[in-house]
Amino acid sequence: MVRRAALAAAASMALLAGSGAAMAAGPEVVEGPGYLPECFAPWDADTKYLQWEKKEGPYRIALVNGFVGNTWRIQMIQTAKVFAESPGIAEKIEEFKVVSTGTDAAAQLGAIEDFINQGYDAIVTIAVSPEGFDRVIRLADRNGVVMVPFDNTLDTDKVMQVNEDQYEMGKMSGEFLIKEMGKTSGKILEVRGVPGNSVDRDRHQGLRDALEAGGDFEVVEIVGNWDTGTSQKATADALAVHGQFDGIFTQGGSDGTVRALMDAGHPFVPMAGEGENGFRKQIAQYADKGLKGLSYGQSPGLVAIATKAAIAALEGNTMPQMISVPIPVADYETLEDGVNYWSDLSDKFFTPNEFAPCDVNIKAVDIMAKSADNVE
């Protein structure tokens, strides 16, 4: 009796273990190279490759955005809608939903879980926080759902992710400021993004590492939320309290920071900022007056690359776990109207939206014609 009970218990445990393994299957780690490497480039030589079980399309895909209170997020949603309707993609998508949940991580996690339970095939998302997604990742794996965080990515290697190198953006900006200021000490204004996410953290760290390596700088931090109005007010307050700065780094709302300088009568100084059309217009107009500007681009078009990657994974292709998108950069010496900024377009338009290796080219007129409303 004891032996039979022991055998039964062992069999029961083996069955449970086998069931758990099946439930947590997720993607398989495989050898590279990956699919379409000119588009889906691995982050570095150590990047692993993932492969999901092939599914027949067309697919149900959801975009679960978090924060929506700035022009970048609005353009991102507009771009997603255009891309989902574009030739070569539209026929692969049965249903495309968009929801924005705000800055509450629990609300975003709940929305992702809901889409998984509804039977969606893939979810692309901008994570509110780089942590806390383990539960929904496991749920996605159990249900064969491809989840693709982009822009604000997660601190995990369990899902496929798409991004530009945020740390490198901060680092190149710091090096640019040191070069253009022509000195190894001074006071820098740092206009940070939305607190608590990986983009803000990594850009900040890149900047600080470059400044520390290049000299002895005093840095004043303010929060601009990647938003023009917020950045303008926060910069104005900083100028009133701290006086003159020798250089400026902003993560977004760059044109608002420039307006605050002008309103305060602060002389133009070297400045590194985002890819807003308005900021690039300002650099082109005021470079000879001291606004020696660098404009890097975290493109809203990343949503198109993330969606394309999700479809490729659903089709059974081998994909890098971390996909690197090159950083589009322009400065006061390389700006050209009609090429990398547009004098006849809105200041709020983010300029980099072309990814030739991925056959993605989202036209400005199509983007601006779409709304940023949720599609439920």
Side-chain angles (χ1 to χ4, degrees):
M1 291 289 294
V2 173
R3 178 173 171 76
R4 274 202 300 270
L7 287 171
S12 176
M13 290 177 65
L15 180 62
L16 287 172
S19 172
M23 288 181 69
E28 182 182 356
V29 177
V30 297
E31 294 295 322
Y35 171 69
L36 205 63
E38 63 272 24
C39 173
F40 305 122
W43 194 263
D44 56 32
D46 296 325
T47 300
K48 66 182 181 181
Y49 290 86
L50 304 176
Q51 186 175 35
W52 284 259
E53 185 176 348
K54 182 178 180 179
K55 283 189 179 183
E56 294 301 320
Y59 307 110
R60 300 172 72 201
I61 299 176
L63 166 60
V64 182
N65 180 45
F67 177 74
V68 76
N70 61 33
T71 55
W72 193 97
R73 294 296 181 104
I74 291 169
Q75 186 175 325
M76 181 275 298
I77 292 171
Q78 293 170 313
T79 302
K81 293 177 179 179
V82 174
F83 184 70
E85 297 172 359
S86 63
I89 298 297
E91 55 267 33
K92 296 183 178 184
I93 297 179
E94 176 184 346
E95 187 177 5
F96 187 75
K97 292 286 186 75
V98 178
V99 63
S100 295
T101 60
T103 57
D104 180 31
Q108 186 177 51
L109 292 169
I112 292 172
E113 184 173 352
D114 188 46
F115 279 119
I116 293 172
N117 290 333
Q118 288 182 50
Y120 276 72
D121 299 297
I123 296 166
V124 292
T125 183
I126 298 184
V128 168
S129 167
E131 301 174 336
F133 279 70
D134 293 349
R135 178 174 58 85
V136 293
I137 292 172
R138 289 194 296 269
L139 182 63
D141 286 347
R142 288 198 298 269
N143 288 273
V145 176
V146 177
M147 198 164 90
V148 188
F150 69 98
D151 184 50
N152 293 343
T153 52
L154 303 177
D155 290 340
T156 180
D157 63 355
K158 303 301 183 185
V159 294
M160 177 171 60
Q161 309 198 67
V162 174
N163 209 359
E164 297 171 23
D165 191 333
Q166 307 301 318
Y167 176 86
E168 181 60 28
M169 287 183 188
K171 182 171 178 286
M172 71 167 62
S173 295
E175 291 169 348
F176 173 84
L177 293 180
I178 294 170
K179 172 178 172 289
E180 294 298 332
M181 289 186 299
K183 54 185 180 180
T184 56
S185 64
K187 187 158 61 173
I188 306 293
L189 177 64
E190 179 185 5
V191 186
R192 298 191 63 169
V194 175
N197 62 71
S198 60
V199 168
D200 174 74
R201 175 197 65 195
D202 294 350
R203 291 183 185 181
H204 164 76
Q205 192 60 54
L207 173 76
R208 289 307 188 94
D209 286 351
L211 294 179
E212 183 177 341
D216 182 19
F217 296 94
E218 175 189 354
V219 181
V220 174
E221 290 184 31
I222 59 176
V223 174
N225 282 339
W226 303 319
D227 173 68
T228 295
T230 306
S231 179
Q232 183 169 348
K233 183 180 185 308
T235 300
D237 292 344
L239 294 173
V241 172
H242 297 280
Q244 190 162 321
F245 292 92
D246 300 294
I248 299 173
F249 168 69
T250 175
Q251 293 197 26
S254 315
D255 49 339
T257 292
V258 174
R259 291 189 192 117
L261 291 178
M262 297 170 69
D263 290 346
H266 190 291
F268 288 123
V269 294
M271 178 174 169
E274 251 286 358
E276 303 101 332
N277 196 46
F279 180 46
R280 293 191 175 187
K281 287 182 188 178
Q282 291 167 333
I283 296 172
Q285 183 174 357
Y286 299 115
D288 60 352
K289 295 180 173 59
L291 187 61
K292 308 297 187 184
L294 172 77
S295 173
Y296 55 83
Q298 175 76 351
S299 173
L302 283 174
V303 69
I305 308 302
T307 303
K308 190 178 180 83
I311 292 171
L314 288 168
E315 292 176 334
N317 293 295
T318 297
M319 306 294 292
Q321 181 272 315
M322 190 72 191
I323 294 170
S324 175
V325 178
I327 302 169
V329 179
D331 63 25
Y332 66 97
E333 295 180 319
T334 61
L335 283 173
E336 184 178 349
D337 195 3
V339 175
N340 48 24
Y341 82 98
W342 287 264
S343 59
D344 59 343
L345 290 182
S346 164
D347 287 354
K348 297 180 179 180
F349 183 76
F350 280 78
T351 53
N353 287 289
E354 297 183 13
F355 302 90
C358 299
D359 194 26
V360 172
N361 183 6
I362 316 294
K363 301 296 185 185
V365 63
D366 296 329
I367 293 171
M368 305 306 279
K370 291 292 184 182
S371 78
D373 295 337
N374 289 345
V375 180
E376 298 187 25

